Amino acid sequence: MKNRPGDDPEVTASTQQDGDAATDLKWYSLAQEDVLRVVGTGLDGLSTDEAADRLRRTGPNRLPEAAPDGPLRRFVRQFRNVLIYVLLAAAGVTAALGHLVDTGVILAVVLVNAVIGFVQEGRAEQALSAIRDMLAPDARVLRDGRRATVPAEELVPGDIVFLDAGDKVPADLRLVAAKGLRVQEAVLTGESVPTDKEIDSVAADAPVGDRHSMAFSGTLVAAGTGRGVVVATGAATEIGRISGLLTSVETTTTPLLLQMEVFARRITGVILVLAAIILAFGYVVAEMGFAEIFIAVVGLSVAAIPEGLPAIMTVTLAIGVQAMARRNAIVRRLPAIEALGSVSVICTDKTGTLTRNEMTVTTVVTAQRRFAVTGVGYAPHGTIIFDTQEVGPGTHPLLRDLALGAMLCNDAELAQTDSGWTVQGDPMEGALVAFACKAGLMAGDIRHANPQTDAIPFDAQHRFMATLHHDQHGAATIHVKGAPERILAMCIYQHAEEDGIGPLDAEYWQRAASEIAAQGQRVLAIATRSGPEGARKLTFDDVEGGLTLLGLVGLIDPPREEAIVAVAECQAASIRVKMITGDHAGTALAIARQLGLENTEEVLEGGQIDGLGATELMERATRIDVFARTSPENKLRLVEALQASGLVVAMTGDGVNDAPSLKRADIGIAMGRTGTEVAKEAADIVLADDNFATITAAVRAGRTVYDNLQKAIVFLLPVNGGEALALIAALLLGLTLPITPVQILWVNMVSSVVLAMALAFEGPEPGIMRRPPRPASESILSRFVIWRVAFVSILFCAGIFGMFIWAQQQGAGTEEARTIAVNTLVVMEIFYLFSVRFLNSTSLSLKALLGTRPVLIAIAVVTALQFLFTYAPFMEAFFDTRPLSLAQGLTVIAVGPVLLVILEIEKRILLHRRKH
């Protein structure tokens, strides 16, 4: 390697990654000579020996691999739930009682719950692996002054790397040469069009999307050629920094899991305190034997613990997951489906999420007219409208001339695939071809009749593209397109439509370009002139003056039509939608207005976010709906600020730059078709159709899941409460237990679970998307739930004890009376199921009484099992049951309608109070 006099390779080469100060160097702001000096290299690259030495010191160009959790650890993690601990405690109690069959049933429930969670989360936490796969496998470098191809892992700071169209950038490069170089950086910045690159340094505070002198690892070269010096490899690259953010981001716990943990702790505490009081009362006051009272207290504990609740919660969530899969939303973590129901803010990326990630010409301006262009994406279908009227291909000849220039000064091609129309080449050029087709031109015919003879490719320095064409008669024509200010400087004439060619009105065109840009559109100017006779080469002198301006075109990545509808639905459900993008502020505001976001007057940019403290950012993040030029750190801070304000945040995105905030959000939602693997693995939910509107359906499903879980709790707890109250009354009054612990387990684990499972299939309540999201801090045991549980528990206790005493008065033995009490309890459960299905409306209607298919199946199964429980001889050995007569059975059934009528009267009283 050749070194400048005074350079110390040992010092300069190690500067890049051996010190914190060097790691923070803003390479894009340094002059080319300074960069080469700091990394200790020259334009002829490194020697093989020097490269090997640096590789030993800096390490390979790959991201550090964290040891993933193995299957066993992931399986064990499924048991880290307080409700699972309650189930295991119940299993321990039944084992202590010697009822090993019941112990096996409970443990089977725990195992099924764990397996479902394990399978659902099988591909979780693979984001870092997905990022590693983005690094290029090979790179072309200068070694020993000659070109060589080396594995990308062997790149070191100081290597000179060559870039060509189609290459994946293998490391972070400070560019030292660029010719027409354009790099697709959407995975890092969210911008929908490639970024023009140049070698001049930029401001030190420039955001990632404006660092035009850099080519970042993992991005894709869209056009042109270039060379760059490696300034960062592996973990020190921009992608490596995002990888580091992912490892440091803490995932949040969903509102349901937090509430269920609190609920489980509270109910466990109440049970233990109550058991201790009863134990003390029986042993000290009632002077019962310790073994006798202890067995009774164990029965009380078994009665009060809702053993089936964790299984029902898991199954309800799993049913919600299946329903979402049918709507093209893949739920990767079970609790995520419910958490959507409490989402109050959706933070969404713009490009590819709210928009199509396909540039479209929407505006055309000529010297006297302004046209609107319809159609979306690259499909060559749509219309051109002037003054609300559709324009035909021959109506305005100038429009055809402008479309001809747009198609010929162009290297892109459109192709129709199974998934729709796609572009081969630059997205903006693809949009121009689609526009020309809408103007009535056929790409194949036009290009065949006017073959391209020579071209000046687009370059960030001269900011235009020019092409030379010859028609079938040999006449030469030059077409030019580029930045409006650059093209205007090259024009002296304009096509004034009916008035023919006239002098250029620069002020008019500057004003028109500004108006189009103010709408968030990217503006291109298109000009033309006749070529020199017999010319076969195109030079800068041929286009630097004497051009005739044809017009301006405005391009934008338009919002998805379904996204506009979905945003409106979210707002109707009191869910605020916020756009967080790496694109420019003007473009972001324009899209926000088309989408109908709430606050489209303000925009907060990434540089401004960096300067805000935590308190001020919380206030701004809550008020503002549009955030532009954001970095991954900005997105992460915004999500955290919204969460600190007490909001439940869903984050959508598709790029590498979205991954940290997807992981940090309460719900991360990735795009399945256009999203990177990094984003998918960091997310909780993946949208298979990339449709923002699917989120609205997911929110509806989430709210339905929560409603059904609440119904299951309101159904299960009174059953446990009634059993517990019956046992407490018997113990305090010194009476015989009306129902034994093993019979309680039968009810709790069989009939209660089967009936409650039917609630998991209930559809959404009317008006579910017109109510505000529930607060994340709202307890699952609301005042209504507590009242309903207490009231129905008393009714169940009265039914159990009343029928037990009635049976004894009719001459039944203890075992027969207990069998009657158990059957009464199950009948009351069945009729209570009809009541709990409609918490906010009457259950005394034909539709409600007929029930749904799952409800009828559950009732049939429970009825059959209860007949088995009562009349099967082997069940008598397990549960000490006795067969009942027809009269006894009819008396038991009669209790059910009485319970339903009482509950309906209570429901009407409560509904009347709510209204008044």
Side-chain angles (χ1 to χ4, degrees):
M1 182 189 75
K2 296 178 181 178
N3 297 301
R4 292 182 178 81
D7 286 350
D8 182 356
E10 288 295 322
V11 175
T12 54
S14 63
T15 305
Q16 192 265 328
Q17 289 180 335
D18 289 355
D20 293 337
T23 304
D24 294 334
L25 274 176
K26 295 178 171 55
W27 302 103
Y28 48 88
S29 67
L30 300 180
Q32 175 180 314
E33 306 79 44
D34 294 331
V35 173
L36 294 172
R37 177 179 55 79
V38 172
V39 296
T41 190
L43 292 176
D44 53 354
L46 302 174
S47 68
T48 302
D49 292 340
E50 175 64 19
D53 183 57
R54 293 190 182 193
L55 184 61
R56 283 192 295 271
R57 285 186 281 116
T58 62
N61 177 32
R62 62 170 180 257
L63 299 177
E65 298 186 15
D69 288 340
L72 180 60
R73 178 173 292 183
R74 284 198 291 112
F75 184 71
V76 170
R77 193 165 57 224
Q78 308 304 319
F79 295 89
R80 295 175 188 170
N81 185 309
V82 178
L83 282 172
I84 297 299
Y85 301 154
V86 173
L87 269 183
L88 293 174
V93 169
T94 55
L97 288 170
H99 298 289
L100 299 182
V101 173
D102 302 298
T103 302
V105 171
I106 297 175
L107 292 178
V109 171
V110 172
L111 187 62
V112 168
N113 183 76
V115 168
I116 292 174
F118 175 79
V119 171
Q120 192 67 27
E121 298 179 12
R123 296 182 65 239
E125 299 304 324
Q126 295 178 8
L128 296 181
S129 174
I131 289 182
R132 290 183 205 108
D133 292 340
M134 294 187 65
L135 296 180
D138 293 303
R140 295 183 305 282
V141 300
L142 274 177
R143 291 277 172 90
D144 300 316
R146 296 189 301 272
R147 286 197 181 209
T149 300
V150 300
E153 285 192 352
E154 296 180 9
L155 286 179
V156 295
D159 266 324
I160 300 295
V161 176
F162 293 90
L163 297 176
D164 290 301
D167 287 350
K168 187 175 284 186
V169 181
D172 280 4
L173 310 178
R174 171 61 167 87
L175 296 172
V176 296
K179 184 175 181 181
L181 185 63
R182 311 188 77 195
V183 179
Q184 178 58 264
E185 297 180 334
V187 295
L188 284 177
T189 66
E191 289 201 51
S192 52
V193 295
T195 303
D196 299 322
K197 294 298 181 179
E198 54 190 27
I199 63 173
D200 295 335
S201 59
V202 298
D205 60 353
V208 173
D210 292 337
R211 296 173 189 173
H212 303 302
S213 58
M214 296 288 295
F216 295 106
S217 178
T219 59
L220 189 67
V221 178
T225 61
R227 275 181 295 141
V229 57
V230 176
V231 294
T233 60
T237 61
E238 190 68 19
I239 278 186
R241 193 174 55 77
I242 295 174
S243 171
L245 281 177
L246 274 175
T247 60
S248 63
V249 170
E250 294 182 4
T251 53
T252 58
T253 304
T254 65
L256 175 69
L257 291 185
L258 288 173
Q259 292 164 16
M260 293 304 284
E261 286 179 11
V262 172
F263 167 72
R265 286 197 298 269
R266 286 179 179 174
I267 197 169
T268 302
V270 169
I271 291 169
L272 293 177
V273 170
L274 193 59
I277 293 173
I278 296 297
L279 182 65
F281 176 84
Y283 185 67
V284 177
V285 179
E287 298 182 349
M288 296 174 65
F290 182 80
E292 180 185 0
I293 187 62
F294 183 76
I295 293 299
V297 167
V298 167
L300 170 63
S301 300
V302 172
I305 293 174
E307 294 92 345
L309 189 55
I312 289 170
M313 184 179 80
T314 301
V315 170
T316 303
L317 293 174
I319 290 170
V321 167
Q322 292 173 358
M324 285 313 304
R326 291 192 292 271
R327 299 181 182 184
N328 293 313
I330 302 164
V331 181
R332 300 183 61 246
R333 298 180 181 97
L334 277 179
I337 182 67
E338 175 278 331
L340 270 172
S342 60
V343 162
S344 48
V345 174
I346 298 177
C347 296
T348 173
D349 184 34
K350 176 184 71 68
T351 305
T353 307
L354 292 171
T355 65
R356 300 176 60 88
N357 197 17
E358 296 176 350
M359 296 300 289
T360 303
V361 173
T362 57
T363 304
V364 176
V365 174
T366 61
Q368 296 180 5
R369 294 178 175 85
R370 181 173 181 139
F371 301 89
V373 184
T374 67
V376 291
Y378 302 120
H381 310 301
T383 57
I384 300 176
I385 298 172
F386 172 69
D387 195 21
T388 71
Q389 299 296 317
E390 184 176 334
V391 174
T395 309
H396 297 277
L398 175 56
L399 192 62
R400 185 187 185 283
D401 291 344
L402 190 149
L404 181 68
M407 179 172 283
L408 293 179
C409 189
N410 198 314
D411 292 327
E413 294 185 4
L414 300 181
Q416 188 171 19
T417 65
D418 293 338
S419 58
W421 287 87
T422 60
V423 61
Q424 306 295 324
D426 184 271
M428 284 205 296
E429 291 195 338
L432 292 174
V433 173
F435 155 66
C437 293
K438 295 171 188 176
L441 304 184
M442 300 295 291
D445 295 343
I446 293 296
R447 287 175 170 171
H448 178 73
N450 301 271
Q452 185 183 114
T453 309
D454 198 14
I456 299 175
F458 181 89
D459 188 273
Q461 289 185 322
H462 56 251
R463 302 174 67 199
F464 69 82
M465 174 183 180
T467 55
L468 174 64
H469 300 264
H470 288 81
D471 63 17
Q472 295 174 345
H473 305 291
T477 306
I478 299 171
H479 296 283
V480 186
K481 75 170 189 294
E485 59 273 22
R486 183 70 176 94
I487 300 298
L488 285 174
M490 299 160 64
C491 294
I492 58 174
Y493 305 109
Q494 68 182 37
H495 197 307
E497 304 188 52
E498 291 86 350
D499 298 332
I501 306 299
L504 182 74
D505 183 355
E507 185 178 342
Y508 166 80
W509 293 107
Q510 289 166 357
R511 186 171 61 253
S514 298
E515 290 173 357
I516 299 173
Q519 298 173 9
Q521 300 180 36
R522 297 175 185 268
V523 188
L524 289 177
I526 298 176
T528 187
R529 66 166 294 179
S530 298
E533 187 174 347
R536 309 301 294 180
K537 293 289 184 181
L538 187 61
T539 68
F540 281 91
D541 291 339
D542 295 328
V543 296
E544 281 296 348
L547 298 182
T548 299
L549 184 64
L550 299 177
L552 305 175
V553 294
L555 304 95
I556 197 168
D557 179 13
R560 297 170 179 263
E561 295 176 1
E562 62 270 23
I564 298 174
V565 176
V567 167
E569 286 187 79
C570 288
Q571 291 172 339
S574 300
I575 299 171
R576 192 83 172 259
V577 179
K578 296 179 182 289
M579 180 197 298
I580 306 177
T581 178
D583 214 336
H584 296 277
T587 304
L589 277 174
I591 295 296
R593 293 188 184 104
Q594 293 181 52
L595 287 166
L597 298 192
E598 191 169 323
N599 181 359
T600 57
E601 301 302 319
E602 296 180 274
V603 62
L604 191 64
E605 297 196 45
Q608 297 170 302
I609 294 173
D610 290 333
L612 295 177
T615 303
E616 191 174 2
L617 182 59
M618 282 174 56
E619 187 274 329
R620 296 272 194 99
T622 305
R623 186 182 79 244
I624 295 173
D625 289 340
V626 182
F627 305 88
R629 306 308 279 168
T630 53
S631 66
E633 291 91 343
N634 295 148
K635 294 185 178 186
L636 189 56
R637 283 194 69 200
L638 286 169
V639 169
E640 291 173 340
L642 291 167
Q643 289 173 328
S645 302
L647 301 172
V648 178
V649 181
M651 175 75 191
T652 75
D654 58 359
V656 175
N657 57 326
D658 299 316
S661 47
L662 285 173
K663 187 176 180 183
R664 181 66 181 89
D666 297 284
I667 297 295
I669 306 172
M671 302 296 114
R673 291 170 61 186
T674 59
T676 61
E677 286 302 311
V678 186
K680 295 175 192 175
E681 297 302 335
D684 303 289
I685 296 174
V686 178
L687 303 184
D689 58 358
D690 284 13
N691 192 340
F692 183 83
T694 304
I695 298 174
T696 307
V699 170
R700 182 183 292 106
R703 293 184 175 189
T704 303
V705 165
Y706 184 83
D707 285 352
N708 291 346
L709 282 172
Q710 191 175 54
K711 290 175 184 178
I713 290 171
V714 171
F715 176 79
L716 286 174
L717 291 190
V719 177
N720 295 101
E723 295 164 347
L725 286 178
L727 294 185
I728 291 172
L731 291 172
L732 294 180
L733 298 175
L735 302 175
T736 304
L737 295 181
I739 187 169
T740 65
V742 70
Q743 290 171 341
I744 288 171
L745 271 175
W746 166 265
V747 174
N748 289 359
M749 296 304 298
V750 179
S751 60
S752 294
V753 170
V754 172
L755 292 172
M757 288 292 182
L759 295 171
F761 295 89
E762 290 294 298
E765 294 265 356
I768 194 169
M769 288 300 287
R770 292 194 296 273
R771 68 192 193 203
R774 72 178 192 281
S777 58
E778 179 182 274
S779 172
I780 203 163
L781 293 177
S782 63
R783 290 175 59 187
F784 166 74
V785 171
I786 293 173
W787 158 254
R788 173 53 71 95
V789 169
F791 179 65
V792 180
S793 293
I794 293 171
L795 294 179
F796 271 62
C797 175
I800 294 169
F801 228 110
M803 290 298 290
F804 178 75
I805 294 173
W806 172 83
Q808 287 185 320
Q809 290 175 346
Q810 298 300 312
T814 300
E815 290 75 15
E816 187 178 355
R818 283 175 173 166
T819 305
I820 289 174
V822 172
N823 279 282
T824 301
L825 175 58
V826 173
V827 167
M828 288 193 294
E829 281 188 298
I830 291 173
F831 279 85
Y832 181 45
L833 178 67
F834 285 99
S835 175
V836 85
R837 288 184 60 226
F838 299 93
L839 293 175
N840 300 308
S841 58
T842 182
S843 298
L844 296 179
S845 66
L846 183 61
K847 179 182 177 181
L849 293 176
L850 287 176
T852 61
R853 189 165 178 263
V855 167
L856 298 178
I857 291 174
I859 292 174
V861 170
V862 167
T863 301
L865 289 173
Q866 207 56 33
F867 268 98
L868 192 69
F869 173 87
T870 305
Y871 297 104
F874 70 90
M875 296 297 275
E876 179 180 341
F878 281 113
F879 298 102
D880 207 13
T881 57
R882 298 293 185 271
L884 304 181
S885 66
L886 178 61
Q888 289 173 321
L890 292 175
T891 305
V892 167
I893 293 173
V895 176
V898 174
L899 174 72
L900 182 60
V901 170
I902 294 173
L903 290 175
E904 285 303 300
I905 294 173
E906 175 256 2
K907 189 186 296 183
R908 293 203 173 193
I909 293 172
L910 290 180
L911 291 174
H912 179 76
R913 286 183 176 179
R914 287 180 192 172
K915 291 179 181 179
H916 299 85

